[in-house]
Amino acid sequence: MHALEKILARASGRKKVTAGEIVIAKVDVVEVNDLYLQVVKSFYELGGTEVANPDKTTFVFDHYSPAPTIKAACNHKSMREFCSKMGIRHLFDIGEGVCHQVLAESGMVGPGKIVVETDSHTTTMGALGAFGTGVGVTDMAVILITGKLWFKVPRVMKVVLEGDLRDGVMAKDLILHVIGHLKQDAAIYKAVEFAGDAVRKMPQEERMVLCNMAVEMGAKTAYIAPDGVTYEYLARYGWEKGEVPVTDEDYEYESIVEYDVSEITPRVALPGSVDNVASIPDEEIRIDQVFLGTCTGGRLNDIRVAAEILEGKKVAAGTRFVVIPASRLVFQDAMKAGYIETLVDAGVVLSTPGCGPCLGAHEGILASGEKCVSTSSRNFPGRMGSTEAQVYIASPATAAATALKGRLCGADSL
Amino acid sequence: MDIIKGNIFVFGNNIDTDQIYPGRYLDLTDHDEIATHAMEGADPSFASTVKPGDIIVAGTNFGCGSSREHAVITLKNAGVGAVIARSFARIFFRNAINQGLVVVEVPNLDTLNINTGDKGILDIVKGNFTANGQTVFFQPLTEHVLSIIEAGGIFSLFREKGVKAFG
């Protein structure tokens, strides 16, 4: 069995599960974000009276945080009341950060856990050795009532990344390259495992980028076998290492795709589609706004890379650079390291830890005709505001280099 | 319920949830209000022209992107009778079943020969779809999924069977 199958087997009380089978599994960690007051409404509509596992249940206010509209403020208020009534202690209120980063730092998630959140990027949890998947509000209401959910056991596709990264190339470039090659429906209903020595050499935060973006190829969940790097990261947040499920040597993957990462240069997803990936275009493309942040590209390592590029320099005139740390802890670590001061000196605009303008809700949404380079994960038409705006998805290094020059460029060109 | 007839609206591949229901409306919770923004990112006139029972025909990976169930709620409450696509993104597919929106996967659907405005007839029990003089066949929905859809979604099923509805 694959480690992911072992996780599902344990949670459903079975010795063995096989791909395609439907199992009813206990969910270990649950997260509801602030887009979905509907979860609370559905909970009551389904006849819910108490939450099955209040200590395993978290609410995170990140997508509309602090509340930019009266409606969002009312939703937050109702959710706070719900948490209080149901005895849910883990309410991460405004400014605590993006749900996936908050959970990674909560000490609640680690190898072997089943994590279900009302957000598609829950695949990020795979970098911690967990089975993480996103659901809609109805499934979530069912979990709150019963503590369980049905899952179809997925087949696992393996993406092997070998070789050494070039200068100015980050995990984001690799995953964009992979999605551009395999396309955005390559992994529908499947799990994607990332392996190879390029992954082993990556810091934990970079591994999270790979798993985070796996959903952009349709993946149900993602996975990286945990190792010393993972345990060191988790230990920082109070996780205690226990039994870790390991994939059997004779497990047969649905498919295996290999890449030599030393051939990969800085990549961008061109406006409109995350799988329309290219190297940085030769022509000069002036950029109105650069955004560094989100569950994909707002971690300490990302902020460090940007600070190193902008150290002692200024953001180009005519370009805005919005930086949003993925969590309060990331923000504090970046302050202690001096990165925040460097960035603010360079002319960066900082905002509250959370999702920022990624989904077009607040904190830097785009006007018609504007061009943006973003370290987030999606650039569907209208994603960050006007449907007439253009969003290039790129790495934090490319984002910072672009902010410095005011035109789309890779850090390898500086 | 078994047979759905309506006008067809054709969309392409990878219609994501931001096109089905833009993120800036995610703070809405009233279903009728949510319905007024259906497909706004792909076709701003859709919500005002769609009629009850109309059918969306799309290519691969319909509903990719975020987990927002608003994307299903908006289509269902705008009156969409069914969505037929070559493939669906996983979360959207689950959400649709849970909300009682008919979703049918037809991998060999030739969307090029179907036009917006054509009449479509869908039989979800027998597993066939006819449009523009052509009929395609697909594996009918499983009994369990049909029972959820026919009950009108998980909510009705839960009211009927209680916790047993979840096994």
Side-chain angles (χ1 to χ4, degrees):
Chain A
M1 283 194 288
H2 192 276
L4 291 169
E5 294 179 324
K6 291 183 182 177
I7 296 173
L8 285 173
R10 175 199 51 83
S12 57
R14 296 175 184 220
K15 284 208 170 84
K16 186 174 169 51
V17 299
T18 44
E21 200 178 345
I22 288 179
V23 298
I24 294 171
K26 285 185 188 161
V27 178
D28 296 307
V29 181
V30 179
E31 188 272 336
V32 181
N33 66 46
D34 61 345
L35 293 178
Y36 303 117
L37 181 63
Q38 184 66 45
V39 170
V40 172
K41 293 188 166 191
S42 298
F43 172 87
Y44 287 123
E45 276 175 49
L46 288 171
T49 51
E50 54 187 59
V51 170
N53 297 303
D55 290 341
K56 296 176 174 179
T57 303
T58 65
F59 274 67
V60 182
F61 295 176
D62 53 0
H63 287 69
Y64 282 87
S65 169
T69 63
I70 295 170
K71 189 79 195 132
C74 292
N75 291 354
H76 283 172
K77 186 180 171 202
S78 299
M79 285 182 165
R80 289 185 190 106
E81 286 165 1
F82 181 77
C83 287
S84 164
K85 191 172 169 192
M86 294 294 156
I88 295 168
R89 295 178 293 129
H90 301 296
L91 166 63
F92 297 92
D93 213 304
I94 60 164
E96 289 300 324
V98 189
C99 51
H100 312 300
Q101 187 59 24
V102 167
L103 281 196
E105 295 167 351
S106 70
M108 298 168 78
V109 176
K113 294 288 182 189
I114 292 187
V115 186
V116 182
E117 304 176 50
T118 52
D119 193 283
S120 57
H121 289 110
T122 310
T123 54
T124 312
M125 298 298 122
L128 305 173
F131 182 105
T133 196
V135 296
V137 295
T138 307
D139 277 335
M140 182 52 74
V142 168
I143 295 172
L144 290 187
I145 294 171
T146 65
K148 295 183 251 180
L149 193 67
W150 66 267
F151 298 97
K152 192 165 149 186
V153 180
R155 292 185 297 169
V156 186
M157 150 183 198
K158 191 177 193 178
V159 173
V160 182
L161 303 170
E162 301 282 2
D164 292 311
L165 294 183
R166 293 186 182 204
D167 285 347
V169 172
M170 300 181 70
K172 184 66 169 290
D173 299 294
L174 307 191
I175 189 66
L176 284 174
H177 180 80
V178 170
I179 295 168
H181 177 231
L182 297 177
K183 296 300 171 189
Q184 58 177 297
D185 57 355
I188 297 181
Y189 298 108
K190 297 176 200 166
V192 177
E193 177 179 344
F194 296 96
D197 68 306
V199 176
R200 291 286 143 233
K201 283 184 267 183
M202 275 180 199
Q204 184 58 34
E205 296 177 310
E206 287 282 87
R207 298 178 183 190
M208 290 165 85
V209 176
L210 300 178
C211 290
N212 174 281
M213 292 282 288
V215 73
E216 308 308 330
M217 39 200 290
K220 170 187 192 129
T221 192
Y223 185 74
I224 294 174
D227 60 12
V229 174
T230 324
Y231 304 133
E232 195 190 322
Y233 182 85
L234 288 169
R236 222 181 292 162
Y237 306 109
W239 171 263
E240 286 171 27
K241 193 182 166 202
E243 197 187 330
V244 177
V246 177
T247 300
D248 295 330
E249 277 181 22
D250 61 354
Y251 177 77
E252 281 186 30
Y253 286 90
E254 185 258 351
S255 59
I256 298 174
V257 197
E258 295 184 27
Y259 295 91
D260 176 358
V261 303
S262 65
E263 291 172 0
I264 299 173
T265 54
R267 314 300 279 170
V268 284
L270 300 172
S273 170
V274 74
D275 65 356
N276 188 9
V277 174
S279 51
I280 309 250
D282 289 333
E283 75 264 30
E284 178 169 303
I285 300 169
R286 304 300 303 178
I287 299 297
D288 301 289
Q289 178 169 301
V290 177
F291 169 46
L292 186 148
T294 78
C295 57
T296 314
R299 298 189 177 83
L300 186 64
N301 184 59
D302 306 319
I303 295 173
R304 176 187 62 77
V305 166
E308 285 173 4
I309 289 172
L310 284 168
E311 173 91 58
K313 301 183 176 123
K314 293 283 177 203
V315 171
T319 301
R320 318 180 288 273
F321 190 10
V322 177
V323 172
I324 301 186
S327 72
R328 178 193 295 277
L329 292 180
V330 167
F331 192 5
Q332 287 174 322
D333 286 344
M335 273 197 293
K336 283 177 202 156
Y339 305 148
I340 298 296
E341 192 175 353
T342 301
L343 290 171
V344 173
D345 283 346
V348 158
V349 180
L350 274 170
S351 199
T352 318
C355 304
C358 171
L359 78 160
H362 63 354
E363 294 179 340
I365 61 181
L366 301 170
S368 167
E370 287 194 321
K371 291 187 169 70
C372 177
V373 168
S374 174
T375 67
S376 58
S377 56
R378 292 187 175 138
N379 60 352
F380 304 136
R383 171 76 181 180
M384 281 180 70
S386 169
T387 49
E388 308 302 320
Q390 297 195 314
V391 178
Y392 295 83
I393 298 295
S395 76
T398 299
T402 298
L404 182 64
K405 297 293 181 188
R407 59 178 164 79
L408 179 57
C409 65
D412 57 342
S413 71
L414 296 179
Chain B
M1 186 67 189
D2 296 355
I3 304 216
I4 295 159
K5 291 182 189 174
N7 286 321
I8 292 173
F9 289 80
V10 178
F11 293 94
N13 295 336
N14 302 315
I15 296 294
D16 55 78
T17 56
D18 281 280
Q19 293 183 68
I20 300 169
Y21 190 80
R24 60 186 170 280
Y25 306 126
L26 283 173
D27 57 353
L28 301 180
T29 50
D30 179 78
H31 288 191
D32 292 332
E33 207 178 347
I34 289 171
T36 64
H37 300 291
M39 301 304 293
E40 192 171 298
D43 174 6
S45 67
F46 180 86
S48 57
T49 50
V50 66
K51 303 240 167 14
D54 283 353
I55 297 169
I56 287 178
V57 168
T60 54
N61 206 21
F62 187 87
C64 60
S66 95
S67 63
R68 64 189 68 159
E69 203 154 313
H70 295 71
V72 172
I73 294 169
T74 193
L75 298 183
K76 193 180 175 199
N77 287 277
V80 171
V83 184
I84 301 168
R86 294 177 66 164
S87 64
F88 288 91
R90 172 194 148 261
I91 301 176
F92 180 90
F93 193 78
R94 275 188 89 117
N95 289 346
I97 303 291
N98 284 339
Q99 288 285 344
L101 173 69
V102 175
V103 278
V104 175
E105 198 164 77
V106 186
N108 60 350
L109 184 67
D110 183 1
T111 54
L112 293 179
N113 284 320
I114 302 172
N115 304 302
T116 294
D118 286 352
K119 304 278 181 209
I121 303 171
L122 173 70
D123 187 328
I124 56 171
V125 174
K126 289 191 180 145
N128 61 64
F129 173 61
T130 304
N132 202 13
Q134 300 172 67
T135 299
V136 286
F137 297 90
F138 56 87
Q139 193 160 9
L141 298 170
T142 64
E143 211 172 304
H144 177 65
V145 168
L146 267 180
S147 72
I148 296 175
I149 288 177
E150 284 180 350
I154 265 293
F155 296 93
S156 319
L157 197 68
F158 197 92
R159 273 192 285 274
E160 220 172 275
K161 296 189 178 171
V163 180
K164 283 181 193 156
F166 306 113

